[in-house]
Amino acid sequence: MIRDVLRMGDPRLLAIASPVHDFHSEELKQLLADMRDTMAHLNGAGLAAPQIGVSLRVVIFGVTANPRYPDVEEVPDTVLINPEITPLGDEMEEGWEGCLSVPGMRGWVPRWSSLRYAGCDEQGRRFERSVSGFHARVVQHECDHLDGILYPMRIRDLAKFGFNEALFPGQDLPRED
Ligand code: NI
């Protein structure tokens, strides 16, 4: 079922989400189905459970290569539950981000360039990956939602935060997270 996505200003987006303990519940299955439906409907790159009002440490993300956006790297479709992020090195890089909870806007956000993330898939099996670049950015953005952090809170120079049409006139932009 497609769910409403909460928008910045809603206090539920600022809460610390709770870990998942039961990986075989009907609630988790339904949550993941709703998150997939909602993300697909809005053509998002990622979605965190708190964005649909469920305060659990569950995120999904994935970006398929699109010839319209040759600069956007592919990210595998992933369900990540109870994630842990470990930066690899201290290098950071800045890039444009959007968010389904901050629709129509983009901001220039610093993130760790490389990291390892670990967590569980929807069956509760633990996995980990070492990633960099756009994949690392998407993971950091989604996992921030679990700690009540929205990307505008990380922008260093608010001159680089604005509406899509004003920042990128006439451009067709890739997906929001
Ligand atoms: Ni977001």
Side-chain angles (χ1 to χ4, degrees):
M1 188 176 72
I2 295 166
R3 303 272 293 262
D4 287 337
V5 174
L6 306 183
R7 294 190 178 201
M8 184 168 67
D10 190 306
R12 289 173 285 178
L13 289 171
L14 304 177
I16 308 287
S18 305
V20 171
H21 296 297
D22 181 0
F23 286 90
H24 303 289
S25 69
E26 203 49 48
E27 286 80 2
L28 181 61
K29 205 174 292 175
Q30 196 57 56
L31 171 64
L32 287 167
D34 287 356
M35 288 175 70
R36 287 190 176 106
D37 290 348
T38 304
M39 187 173 108
H41 174 70
L42 297 172
N43 198 29
L47 188 71
Q51 291 182 277
I52 58 167
V54 176
S55 193
L56 287 172
R57 303 187 80 77
V58 176
V59 303
I60 64 172
F61 51 84
V63 178
T64 313
N66 184 333
R68 262 164 63 194
Y69 310 114
D71 298 341
V72 174
E73 300 157 48
E74 199 156 16
V75 178
D77 279 322
T78 302
V79 171
L80 178 60
I81 301 174
N82 300 344
E84 298 151 32
I85 288 181
T86 311
L88 297 174
D90 48 18
E91 190 190 324
M92 300 194 83
E93 60 191 40
E94 292 189 285
W96 291 105
E97 292 185 19
C99 180
L100 295 173
S101 294
V102 192
M105 302 189 79
R106 286 287 190 281
W108 185 246
V109 183
R111 299 287 185 185
W112 300 112
S113 301
S114 299
L115 56 85
R116 179 179 302 118
Y117 66 93
C120 292
D121 69 12
E122 58 192 298
Q123 271 81 42
R125 292 176 299 222
R126 199 175 158 80
F127 69 102
E128 62 170 61
R129 290 182 184 143
S130 295
V131 300
S132 59
F134 181 62
H135 190 155
R137 176 171 298 278
V138 169
V139 172
Q140 289 169 89
H141 177 112
E142 296 313 327
C143 292
D144 263 358
H145 279 296
L146 308 180
D147 292 324
I149 299 169
L150 299 168
Y151 81 79
M153 300 174 184
R154 294 201 182 273
I155 296 171
R156 289 172 175 155
D157 176 2
L158 285 168
K160 289 183 171 163
F161 179 42
F163 293 95
N164 292 334
E165 307 78 22
L167 284 165
F168 306 104
Q171 280 184 49
D172 177 24
L173 296 177
R175 299 158 151 200
E176 299 175 305
D177 336 291

